[in-house]
Amino acid sequence: MKLATYHDGSSDGQLWVVSRDLQRAVPAVGIVRTMLEAVEEWDLVLPALTALYDRLNVSQEAFAVPFEPKRCLAPLPRAPQWLDASAFLNHGRLMDKAFDNPPNLDFETIPLVYQGASDDFRGPVADIEFPDDSLGIDMEGEFGVILSNVPMGTSADAAPSHVRLLVQINDWSLRALGPREMRAGFGFLQAKPSTAFAPVAVTPDEIASHWQDCRVGLPLHVEINGREVGRANGGEMHFSFAEIIAHCARTRMLTAGTIIGSGTVSNADRAAGSSCISEIRVIELLDRGVAETPFLTWGDRVRMEARLPDGTAPFGVIDQRVARG
């Protein structure tokens, strides 16, 4: 099933069901009002949502209209919690070199996760405003999961049963502010502006065998101003989403609607490119002794889409412009 949230003037928007080919949509009127309510009451509303989705896919839903990504907010415009991991060790190693971080002895055994702001997620085509283009404006292409209630102490074996939806993410970053916040050891704040999402959240069955071992095994195509810079595959996560969920739930429950991000999708094979500019710059520095690719500035556009083997984009497309705040 594919779900989206349309802007309706409210903070949480209105839940719409979207056809598999992303061509048609219908509001979930009479079933559930918002995405968060759907996740909270999943077992109760799933049969009716599934029936509506089935009718939509065979053109038997009388109230269907063309799907309009421009009307979309983030699938969850605001969430109870946003936890972002760094599950791709290739990216982590490159960032350690970039920031001259001391060795992390638990790097390969304990997931690295920070708690970010979840009160202002952005939609797929909204301009992203920044106060200053000298702050190292960067994008980070990621995948993520939206969860049901996860009890404290949930194991990695039990964690997949709590994954309700998959999402595609652009976790915007301000690289000039990151080093100080990392040295302070108290988590990111200013270095992590509002995170953006592709228009559609999907149930894991929508990507079939590409949801394997609790990883999204799809290439994430990333473009800057029309030039592709990356197509790294999400299947190379060192820690699976199941392992990250278990790590986060070790000492407390996770509330329904919690979103967990994978961290920047990154592959060891240089031919896959990069999902963020910082990674590109580190590779340039290592290879040529100088970082040449600039960070983003006013008017630059970032486009991201995960693609199935047939070329379709199950989550839709993130296509955003950097704007002056």
Side-chain angles (χ1 to χ4, degrees):
M1 182 162 51
K2 298 190 175 186
L3 302 173
T5 295
Y6 273 14
H7 179 58
D8 68 348
S10 69
S11 297
D12 296 307
Q14 181 186 38
L15 182 67
W16 282 61
V17 179
V18 183
S19 63
R20 182 168 288 115
D21 62 5
L22 303 185
Q23 296 302 303
R24 299 172 306 284
V26 63
V29 174
I31 302 175
V32 63
R33 188 176 64 87
T34 69
M35 183 82 74
L36 182 57
E37 290 175 4
V39 174
E40 291 173 333
E41 304 293 336
W42 191 256
D43 292 337
L44 181 64
V45 303
L46 182 59
L49 287 175
T50 301
L52 181 57
Y53 184 60
D54 290 343
R55 293 196 303 273
L56 188 61
N57 282 322
V58 295
S59 301
Q60 293 181 356
E61 176 48 52
F63 297 101
V65 296
F67 177 51
E68 298 180 72
K70 290 183 178 180
R71 294 182 60 186
C72 288
L73 303 173
L76 278 178
R78 53 182 180 170
Q81 185 168 213
W82 159 236
L83 302 171
D84 198 17
S86 182
F88 292 85
L89 297 195
N90 182 66
H91 177 76
R93 292 188 180 102
L94 289 171
M95 291 304 98
D96 283 345
K97 291 179 181 178
F99 296 117
D100 196 24
N101 293 331
N104 177 1
L105 299 180
D106 300 320
F107 185 62
E108 296 187 13
T109 57
I110 300 177
L112 187 63
V113 184
Y114 78 91
Q115 187 175 46
S118 61
D119 60 323
D120 182 38
F121 291 140
R122 299 299 181 90
V125 298
D127 285 354
I128 302 297
E129 305 89 0
F130 298 96
D132 187 340
D133 69 345
S134 69
L135 296 178
I137 301 171
D138 199 355
M139 79 283 184
E140 291 191 59
E142 307 187 15
F143 294 110
V145 294
I146 300 177
L147 305 177
S148 65
N149 285 318
V150 180
M152 182 175 66
T154 293
S155 68
D157 288 339
S161 67
H162 297 285
V163 174
R164 293 291 174 258
L165 295 162
L166 311 179
V167 289
Q168 178 191 307
I169 299 166
N170 183 1
D171 184 37
W172 291 95
S173 296
L174 296 175
R175 299 301 190 184
L177 302 178
R180 185 200 65 80
E181 293 190 324
M182 285 190 287
R183 287 195 302 271
F186 218 55
F188 292 116
L189 179 63
Q190 294 175 343
K192 289 292 185 179
S194 298
T195 301
F197 289 76
V200 176
V202 310
T203 49
D205 60 288
E206 287 294 328
I207 62 170
S209 63
H210 302 286
W211 174 246
Q212 189 171 29
D213 298 326
C214 236
R215 295 169 171 86
V216 179
L218 294 175
L220 182 58
H221 293 260
V222 179
E223 296 179 3
I224 300 174
N225 296 328
R227 180 176 67 90
E228 185 176 86
V229 297
R231 51 183 181 278
N233 194 296
E236 203 169 301
M237 282 175 75
H238 179 75
F239 298 104
S240 70
F241 279 112
E243 292 171 302
I244 300 168
I245 293 166
H247 171 76
C248 294
R250 180 185 177 191
T251 59
R252 60 188 174 116
M253 70 167 290
L254 307 179
T255 303
T258 291
I259 305 174
I260 293 182
S262 66
T264 304
V265 179
S266 181
N267 293 172
D269 183 359
R270 295 271 186 92
S274 300
S275 303
C276 74
I277 294 173
S278 284
E279 192 171 293
I280 297 171
R281 288 171 60 86
V282 173
I283 292 171
E284 290 172 342
L285 188 62
L286 294 173
D287 288 352
R288 300 195 286 273
V290 59
E292 297 173 334
T293 299
F295 288 111
L296 301 171
T297 188
W298 316 130
D300 285 343
R301 300 196 72 91
V302 172
R303 178 185 172 92
M304 297 180 179
E305 62 174 346
R307 294 178 191 165
L308 290 163
D310 64 3
T312 59
F315 303 96
V317 178
I318 295 174
D319 188 358
Q320 297 180 297
R321 185 178 65 94
V322 175
R324 192 186 301 269

